[in-house]
Structures are given as C-alpha cells and as structure tokens.
Amino acid sequence: MFSLKQLLKKHRKKYNELNKIKKIFIITLFLCVFSSSCISIIFFFKISIPHENNIFYKFLFDTFNLLFILVSFILLQWGKILVKDAYIILSCGIFLWGGSLFSNLYNDINILPVWFSLWVYNIFKTIGILLLLIGVFISIKKTNKRCDYFKLLATIDDLTELPNRRYFQEELRKYENKMLLFIMIDIDNFKKINDKYGHEEGDRILHSFGMVLLNYKNSNIFSARLGGDEFAAFIISNDKQKAIIFAEYLLNEIKNIMVKDEYHMTLSIGIACKFPFESNKIGLQRADKALYKAKGNNRNRFEWE
C-alpha cells in the first residue's frame, strides 16, 4: 500500500542547494569580472586604439560578455535545477566559457604570449560551449521525462494503481464510434466495512481488488477506478461472451479477498452493450442501470441491460 505523496517522494530528485562548491564557483567568477572592471578603469586611457583593429570596442564587448556569463552562472546556481548531472555540466560549461572570456579580456590590456592567448581562449571557449550544449540537451530530455511522469501520476489512482476517472474518460473518447461492452462494478457493502473496521481495512480491500483488475491480461479491456468503491471497464469488442468471462473472473477472484479473516467480499456487476451509432454516455447509463439491477437481486452477481 502506498500514497501519492510517498510515490512522489520516492521518484523525486532533491533540488540542488547553494553548497560550498557553488559558492567557490561564484566567488571565483565574480573576482574575474571585478578585477577586469578595475583594470578597465585604471587603464581606460592607456589603451592604444588603432582604428583598424577597434581594440577599444572589442574590450567593451568582451567585458559585457563576461558580465552576461556571470549573471547566467549566478542564476544557474540559485535556480532550482531538477537534474543534477545537467546542472554540473552547465556550470562547468559556463565557468570555462567565462574563463576564456577573462583570458581574452586580459589579453586586450596586457598582451599575453600567443600560445596562451590562442590556445587557452579557444580551447576553454570550445569546451565550454560544447558542455553548455550537452547540459541543455540533458536538461530538456530529463525535464520531458519528468513531465511525462507527472502526467502519468495525474491519471493513475494511487491507492489501486488503476487509471482514474479522468484517464478512463480520455481513453473512452478514442472509441466513440466503436462497438463497446461496458462493465460497471461495485464492491458490496463497502461502506459498512469502512464504518465497522476502519478506512485502513477499506483501503486494503480497494488495493487488493485493484490488483485483481490489473492482473487480468487482455489488451482489449480497459479498467479504471471511478471513485470510492466504484470501478468501471470497457471491452473493445462485440463479443458478449468476453464480458461474461471477465465478470465471472471478477466474481471468483473477489472471494479471495477476506475481511479480517471473517468473510469474503462480493461484487455487483452491470454489463451493457453500446453500438457504434450511440454515444458512450448511453452505454455507461445502461451499464449503471444493470448494476442497480444486480444490487436489487441480492448482489454477488452480474446483470445485463
């Protein structure tokens, strides 16, 4: 037995917090920008400006780029990144890119050896951009998976592990113009069990019956919990014998679910047929009517409408 809260806790990855490593990264990159800003102020009027090279404008452009990298890096650290490996790759990519920009900026002020200005700048920049692309790809991929996972949770009943009412209605709309067999299922005297033995025992029974429905292997049958002790299923077929076999299976299997080892459970089942020219709503109403007929006939049975 499990709850939705426990399921989310089991599969959810912890949000990243601002730890010491992140602080070191931020402080290091901040010092780079701060020192470059100081250098630009001190040497502002000392820079040689050959018109053909536009060194002055290149210096300003590199400074703004470095500031942009710093802001991006800080936002990345403070933002709640769900995927840890994407966070690490993105952080390293931005850090290397920032390092390459700083080396290029410093080269504008104080000419460095050619091997340093070319190799360090280009290698750091290339690796940094490559890591950024990989990090973005991983982040998008993992985020899409997480979205699909939470979408699945929104359509599954956490107690029985069956599709819920919303999922049932969504699937049913796909077969509006098909021949369908509807089965409405109700656990007999379930409210009395809840009142007498408590909700914990009631939840155990619902979970056990959910397993009964899940264990019935037939790709043409879609079962769901509509709410409370009410379940439903539809069969994509015009063969009424399939509905009878399914109903008899449920009536037999429910007997294996005992209430406090005192007595076994029973079901009331209503079955109805819906033709392609009819709406699904009509088929559900017929099956519901057959369900009440089964309840009126002493329960523990199935009836047709």
Side-chain angles (χ1 to χ4, degrees):
M1 301 266 273
F2 58 89
S3 64
L4 182 59
K5 184 177 180 180
Q6 291 172 327
L7 189 62
L8 288 170
K9 186 177 180 181
K10 178 182 177 182
H11 291 277
R12 184 177 60 221
K13 293 182 179 178
K14 296 180 180 179
Y15 290 124
N16 289 309
E17 298 178 355
L18 195 65
N19 53 30
K20 292 182 179 179
I21 297 177
K22 295 180 184 178
K23 289 180 180 179
I24 292 171
F25 275 148
I26 292 176
I27 293 171
T28 303
L29 203 53
F30 177 78
L31 288 174
C32 290
V33 175
F34 180 75
S35 61
S36 67
S37 300
C38 292
I39 292 171
S40 65
I41 294 172
I42 295 171
F43 295 95
F44 185 77
F45 297 104
K46 297 183 179 181
I47 302 176
S48 176
I49 314 175
H51 178 71
E52 65 274 15
N53 293 327
N54 293 317
I55 296 177
F56 176 71
Y57 295 106
K58 180 178 181 298
F59 177 80
L60 289 180
F61 183 74
D62 288 340
T63 302
F64 283 122
N65 273 344
L66 194 55
L67 287 172
F68 173 76
I69 291 293
L70 176 65
V71 172
S72 301
F73 190 81
I74 291 175
L75 290 176
L76 179 62
Q77 307 313 305
W78 284 98
K80 293 181 177 179
I81 306 299
L82 296 177
V83 186
K84 187 176 180 181
D85 48 357
Y87 154 74
I88 294 173
I89 294 174
L90 285 171
S91 296
C92 292
I94 293 178
F95 186 77
L96 290 174
W97 196 358
S100 70
L101 285 171
F102 178 74
S103 67
N104 192 44
L105 189 65
Y106 187 74
N107 188 56
D108 293 338
I109 303 298
N110 187 15
I111 303 301
L112 297 171
V114 176
W115 68 267
F116 185 87
S117 60
L118 288 178
W119 286 96
V120 172
Y121 172 73
N122 288 311
I123 290 176
F124 275 31
K125 183 179 179 180
T126 302
I127 296 175
I129 293 175
L130 181 62
L131 289 176
L132 279 175
L133 292 174
I134 295 173
V136 169
F137 175 77
I138 292 174
S139 184
I140 293 173
K141 185 177 180 181
K142 294 291 182 70
T143 300
N144 286 338
K145 282 186 178 180
R146 186 169 291 272
C147 288
D148 292 340
Y149 172 72
F150 282 109
K151 183 180 179 181
L152 179 64
L153 286 184
T155 56
I156 298 297
D157 175 63
D158 61 299
L159 181 61
T160 61
E161 301 181 41
L162 288 168
N164 58 18
R165 181 185 290 272
R166 177 189 298 174
Y167 195 3
F168 182 79
Q169 294 294 345
E170 287 179 359
E171 283 295 310
L172 199 54
R173 279 193 285 269
K174 299 177 182 179
Y175 305 100
E176 187 68 43
N177 300 318
K178 299 284 186 179
M179 181 77 173
L180 297 175
L181 295 168
F182 286 100
I183 300 100
M184 297 295 290
I185 309 159
D186 198 85
I187 300 176
D188 295 332
N189 302 313
F190 183 76
K191 187 177 183 303
K192 293 180 180 179
I193 294 170
N194 260 345
D195 294 341
K196 185 177 180 180
Y197 299 103
H199 290 285
E200 186 175 348
E201 180 66 9
D203 288 348
R204 184 191 66 82
I205 291 169
L206 290 173
H207 179 75
S208 299
F209 183 63
M211 293 299 101
V212 170
L213 288 169
L214 286 172
N215 290 334
Y216 191 81
K217 305 300 181 184
N218 190 318
S219 59
N220 290 325
I221 298 180
F222 188 89
S223 303
R225 181 191 179 195
L226 301 185
D229 62 332
E230 186 179 4
F231 298 81
F234 64 85
I235 305 175
I236 311 167
S237 175
N238 59 356
D239 186 358
K240 294 182 178 181
Q241 189 63 30
K242 290 183 178 180
I244 294 174
I245 293 172
F246 182 56
E248 289 177 344
Y249 161 81
L250 296 178
L251 291 171
N252 288 327
E253 289 296 318
I254 194 69
K255 294 177 182 178
N256 296 325
I257 302 175
M258 303 296 294
V259 182
K260 294 291 185 180
D261 296 326
E262 295 179 8
Y263 58 91
H264 62 77
M265 301 298 302
T266 60
L267 296 174
S268 294
I269 302 174
I271 308 174
C273 181
K274 189 225 68 163
F275 296 98
F277 56 84
E278 295 177 316
S279 68
N280 290 330
K281 185 178 180 180
I282 291 176
L284 287 170
Q285 289 174 345
R286 285 179 185 157
D288 200 50
K289 190 175 180 180
L291 173 64
Y292 280 99
K293 187 188 294 184
K295 287 184 176 182
N297 291 334
N298 295 323
R299 298 183 172 86
N300 192 26
R301 60 188 297 117
F302 67 86
E303 293 287 352
W304 282 86
E305 179 62 32

